[in-house]
Amino acid sequence: MSKTEKFKATLIDHYRAEIDTVILESEQVYRSVIDYEALDQKIEHLILCAKLDGVDEKEIWDILHYRIPSYVNFINYKKVACKKAA
């Protein structure tokens, strides 16, 4: 494995840990409810940081889909609701 591949793998691991932290910070009521609006803001910031670090947005979404598929459903619903309102 080259240095570039190792660095990228380290970055992915870093963002995986950041996603776990952001999810924990967004949990409420004894970790039984997630504030998806707060989570969404944090994830948007995380994606921007990942892009600056050279991590592809798709890789972040793959981690999110694996770690918290309900958030991905929330985003998809939000997009559909915005289209219907327009």
Side-chain angles (χ1 to χ4, degrees):
M1 187 181 275
S2 70
K3 287 185 179 184
T4 305
E5 291 171 342
K6 287 180 183 180
F7 180 71
K8 188 171 182 178
T10 302
L11 273 176
I12 297 294
D13 289 342
H14 168 74
Y15 281 105
R16 187 173 288 121
E18 286 292 319
I19 288 170
D20 287 342
T21 301
V22 166
I23 291 169
L24 285 174
E25 290 173 352
S26 300
E27 292 177 340
Q28 300 175 343
V29 190
Y30 303 107
R31 296 185 173 177
S32 63
V33 177
I34 295 176
D35 181 354
Y36 286 104
E37 291 295 332
L39 179 62
D40 188 37
Q41 291 176 354
K42 293 174 183 179
I43 293 295
E44 285 179 12
H45 178 73
L46 193 71
I47 288 172
L48 288 175
C49 292
K51 285 181 180 179
L52 290 174
D53 285 340
V55 177
D56 188 31
E57 185 175 348
K58 184 186 178 319
E59 293 185 55
I60 300 298
W61 281 106
D62 288 344
I63 295 168
L64 288 167
H65 184 71
Y66 176 78
R67 179 63 178 88
I68 184 164
S70 59
Y71 171 71
V72 177
N73 293 338
F74 168 78
I75 293 299
N76 289 335
Y77 174 77
K78 189 173 161 181
K79 287 179 183 177
V80 169
C82 287
K83 286 182 182 178
K84 286 183 181 180

